[in-house]
Amino acid sequence: MLRQLWMLRIVVACSLIAITTFTLVWRLSHGAERSNEPQRSLEHHALLGRQREFWRQIYHDLTESRPNCSKIVHDGGLDVVGVQEAPPPRPMKVLLEDQQHHALKTAHAAFTGRLQARPYDLPYVPATRGIVMTAGGSYLMHALVSVRMIRRTGTNMPIEVFLRDPSEGDSRICEDIFPSLNAKCIALSSTLGDDISNIGKYGYKMISMLLSSFEDFLYLDADCFPIHNPETLFEQPPFTTHGLVLWPDFWYPTESPFFFDIANIGMPPMDHSQVASEAGTILYSKRTHSTALLIATYYNFYGPDFYYKLHSQGALGEGDKETFRWSAVTSNTSWYQVKAHVQHLGFTTQSGERRDSVMAQYNPMTDFKATTPSALARIRPFFMHQHNPKLDPGWMFALDNTSTIFDSNGSMRRIWHENVTEAQNYFGNGFDAEMGMWEEMRDMTCEYDKLFHKEACEVGVEYVKRVFGG
Ligand SMILES: *[C@@H]1O[C@H](CO)[C@@H](O)[C@H](O)[C@H]1NC(C)=O
Ligand SMILES: *[C@@H]1O[C@H](CO)[C@@H](O)[C@H](O)[C@H]1NC(C)=O
Ligand SMILES: *[C@@H]1O[C@H](CO)[C@@H](O)[C@H](O)[C@H]1NC(C)=O
Ligand SMILES: *[C@@H]1O[C@H](CO)[C@@H](O)[C@H](O)[C@H]1NC(C)=O
Ligand SMILES: *[C@@H]1O[C@H](CO)[C@@H](O)[C@H](O)[C@H]1NC(C)=O
């Protein structure tokens, strides 16, 4: 009897200890989380306040530095020259009247003068890193594919996906799926208010970068994604040494000589060291490049009327692509552009048609160290810019067999290379990055069944099994 009583006491005591410990641990973990929430939302709230104030100032300085002249017109179509060929002479397609030239130069000097007179404190949360994207409308789907591909590399870095305004969001993606992937939709209009209507869609990318909460960020076009974990990029040169990393386009630079005079910077020679930028992928440090970012904002704000034309003179892809490099030069800050040439990947159909679909951009860390042609040739790809077609799993896995996963003879096939041997040799170490992309697209159609037509998952499963054996 006495013994039983002791046993009972021990059991009760143990249970009490267990319950207390459990409650304590639970309280610690959940309580800590909960007490962080107001902290985080306060920080976010404070940041939004700082961003609005910042926007008010920069918008004022931008509009006050408007070039007082008619916009530049060119008849388009500057022929680009690929970097494999001999360098061409500097193109002179855009012709400015004296009055335009003078007005542009005066306004440029006025803007950089304003930046010196009123140093800006760019709003961001110190010591943070993350990924920034701009999406909206159909681009949100491409961004979702990219977010899944980013997570596949093993990083859990926060991702901020900027949309013009809340109406561009899809509640299934923004409210259900992104939060589960540590990504979130942010409306530019929540900071810009009515000013958003004075920004054309060309400007959203620039403003997304300005308003992202991170100190250091990787910007990705919605159709770009890394195939390796991007965290290491922030910890090694060239990012740690230069604070701005860009990737190349296929051709020689296209800027008008007028631009260099307007920006008051030296005009580089047209030689093999000069390559245009592609700008689907950018690494930026707001700490070291705040002035560069603000000048890039100026070039983008006045891009469609002036600077895009001064930079590209009607060449293919005229847009923001060159604004990031030249703003670094104008602000006397460093930049690094990957030397390894961008490469198109694709295949030749059974009927002999060449189909390129993705631009591969290379690893900047090994690129930075490579000094010999043979070392350069060994650099592996790091980012894929899947632009043709952009990735929409529902369309790719449509039942009508019209998507690009079908060869001209009707057979399903891979689209980046001819075959698995070629793919693995290219990516190195037996890695088949394209297979990873299709597995992710297949899983998306099966997991997010409300986003896609009901057969997409079935077609995806069949495709990955048939072509990749997965
Ligand atoms: C803009 O230019 C026009 C004529 O080119 C001139 O009449 C006007 O005063 C200028 N405005 C400013 C604010 O400089
Ligand atoms: C960059 O350096 C040049 C020459 O030293 C100077 O004239 C210019 O004002 C500087 N630009 C900025 C934005 O600091
Ligand atoms: C589409 O392709 C699949 C796989 O190649 C094939 O089984 C199916 O019959 C095709 N459907 C049509 C409508 O051509
Ligand atoms: C299409 O061509 C490939 C490569 O020659 C071949 O393996 C496949 O069987 C062909 N498909 C059809 C439907 O003929
Ligand atoms: C893979 O494609 C390459 C390039 O077309 C070709 O040379 C090679 O023979 C192919 N290999 C196999 C295993 O089919």
Side-chain angles (χ1 to χ4, degrees):
M1 185 66 192
L2 205 63
R3 212 169 142 190
Q4 277 170 342
L5 202 66
W6 267 107
M7 286 295 282
L8 192 68
R9 275 188 189 161
I10 290 170
V11 168
V12 169
C14 288
S15 312
L16 275 176
I17 291 170
I19 290 169
T20 318
T21 314
F22 174 80
T23 316
L24 200 69
V25 168
W26 193 86
R27 278 227 187 108
L28 275 176
S29 54
H30 289 70
E33 235 169 63
R34 249 186 284 140
S35 70
N36 256 346
E37 257 165 39
Q39 175 72 31
R40 265 204 300 269
S41 83
L42 261 180
E43 210 165 66
H44 181 76
H45 195 75
L47 184 67
L48 190 63
R50 279 165 61 206
Q51 284 171 332
R52 285 187 177 143
E53 179 57 21
F54 159 77
W55 176 255
R56 205 184 51 74
Q57 286 181 15
I58 186 72
Y59 189 68
H60 175 264
D61 283 351
L62 287 167
T63 50
E64 288 292 303
S65 312
R66 177 179 296 281
N68 181 20
C69 62
S70 56
K71 64 184 185 186
I72 296 175
V73 283
H74 60 54
D75 53 9
L78 174 72
D79 290 331
V80 288
V81 178
V83 288
Q84 326 291 359
E85 313 200 4
R90 184 164 283 284
M92 261 288 249
K93 189 98 175 164
V94 158
L95 297 174
L96 297 185
E97 289 159 22
D98 287 348
Q99 196 269 339
Q100 280 176 309
H101 184 179
H102 176 75
L104 278 158
K105 190 166 175 151
T106 312
H108 191 290
F111 184 73
T112 53
R114 277 170 188 276
L115 296 186
Q116 276 157 355
R118 167 159 64 178
Y120 275 85
D121 207 5
L122 279 195
Y124 60 82
V125 183
T128 52
R129 282 176 188 164
I131 296 173
V132 179
M133 288 186 169
T134 308
S138 64
Y139 281 78
L140 196 55
M141 178 56 73
H142 312 317
L144 175 57
V145 176
S146 294
V147 168
R148 294 274 307 216
M149 290 306 289
I150 291 166
R151 291 293 171 250
R152 197 182 170 90
T153 69
T155 178
N156 195 37
M157 266 190 187
I159 304 174
E160 294 181 343
V161 180
F162 285 86
L163 315 170
R164 181 189 192 276
D165 57 61
S167 77
E168 290 224 301
D170 177 307
S171 64
R172 294 165 301 183
I173 296 178
C174 290
E175 282 155 37
D176 299 337
I177 301 175
F178 275 173
S180 72
L181 295 165
N182 198 19
K184 68 175 169 194
C185 293
I186 301 176
L188 291 170
S189 60
S190 64
T191 303
L192 269 57
D194 291 342
D195 293 342
I196 191 78
S197 52
N198 297 328
I199 310 286
K201 67 173 197 274
Y202 54 83
Y204 299 161
K205 168 171 168 178
M206 183 72 238
I207 297 170
S208 305
M209 295 195 245
L210 275 186
L211 298 183
S212 66
S213 69
F214 312 117
E215 175 172 320
D216 294 340
F217 62 86
L218 167 65
Y219 173 83
L220 293 172
D221 275 357
D223 51 0
C224 278
F225 52 83
I227 53 173
H228 300 291
N229 189 327
E231 286 176 35
T232 49
L233 299 177
F234 290 91
E235 281 148 21
Q236 289 183 40
F239 183 69
T240 50
T241 48
H242 290 66
L244 167 60
V245 181
L246 296 162
W247 276 262
D249 210 328
F250 293 95
W251 48 79
Y252 285 104
T254 53
E255 303 86 11
S256 155
F258 283 112
F259 169 69
F260 300 97
D261 185 67
I262 289 164
N264 198 22
I265 53 177
M267 181 164 71
M270 294 289 280
D271 63 26
H272 285 290
S273 69
Q274 306 294 316
V275 181
S277 301
E278 200 261 323
T281 309
I282 309 175
L283 276 167
Y284 247 128
S285 165
K286 283 194 184 170
R287 191 173 49 77
T288 59
H289 280 66
S290 59
T291 307
L293 274 156
L294 294 167
I295 296 177
T297 307
Y298 184 74
Y299 292 158
N300 279 280
F301 194 73
Y302 293 114
D305 287 352
F306 302 108
Y307 285 95
Y308 295 166
K309 292 180 171 154
L310 286 169
H311 288 161
S312 293
Q313 305 192 77
L316 209 59
E318 183 175 280
D320 56 27
K321 60 205 286 293
E322 314 295 339
T323 60
F324 309 103
R325 173 173 36 157
W326 293 119
S327 59
V329 176
T330 311
S331 61
N332 301 324
T333 38
S334 49
W335 54 278
Y336 181 83
Q337 181 161 291
V338 168
K339 303 183 288 277
H341 294 157
V342 54
Q343 191 168 348
H344 253 145
L345 304 183
F347 67 95
T348 305
T349 64
Q350 293 300 312
S351 59
E353 176 207 348
R354 180 72 194 168
R355 278 194 205 156
D356 285 323
S357 66
V358 70
M359 294 187 275
Q361 296 284 17
Y362 286 74
N363 184 329
M365 300 172 292
T366 41
D367 186 84
F368 184 74
K369 291 186 214 142
T371 49
T372 62
S374 68
L376 264 177
R378 285 196 303 273
I379 300 168
R380 301 287 186 185
F382 205 99
F383 291 99
M384 307 306 273
H385 194 160
Q386 174 61 48
H387 64 110
N388 181 33
K390 298 189 192 298
L391 295 175
D392 178 342
W395 181 78
M396 282 291 185
F397 301 146
L399 278 182
D400 62 3
N401 292 8
T402 51
S403 90
T404 48
I405 60 176
F406 292 90
D407 202 332
S408 54
N409 71 353
S411 270
M412 287 176 160
R413 59 157 302 140
R414 63 171 65 234
I415 65 171
W416 290 354
H417 286 101
E418 295 296 344
N419 53 49
V420 62
T421 319
E422 226 190 23
Q424 290 179 345
N425 286 341
Y426 179 71
F427 292 109
N429 304 320
F431 178 41
D432 184 353
E434 183 177 349
M435 177 173 176
M437 174 176 80
W438 293 114
E439 284 176 343
E440 215 53 55
M441 303 254 284
R442 172 200 63 195
D443 293 350
M444 286 173 68
T445 54
C446 301
E447 284 168 39
Y448 310 144
D449 54 346
K450 288 186 194 69
L451 279 184
F452 303 102
H453 62 91
K454 65 180 195 307
E455 296 85 4
C457 166
E458 231 170 275
V459 176
V461 167
E462 174 67 18
Y463 173 62
V464 175
K465 193 186 290 166
R466 205 181 279 205
V467 178
F468 299 92

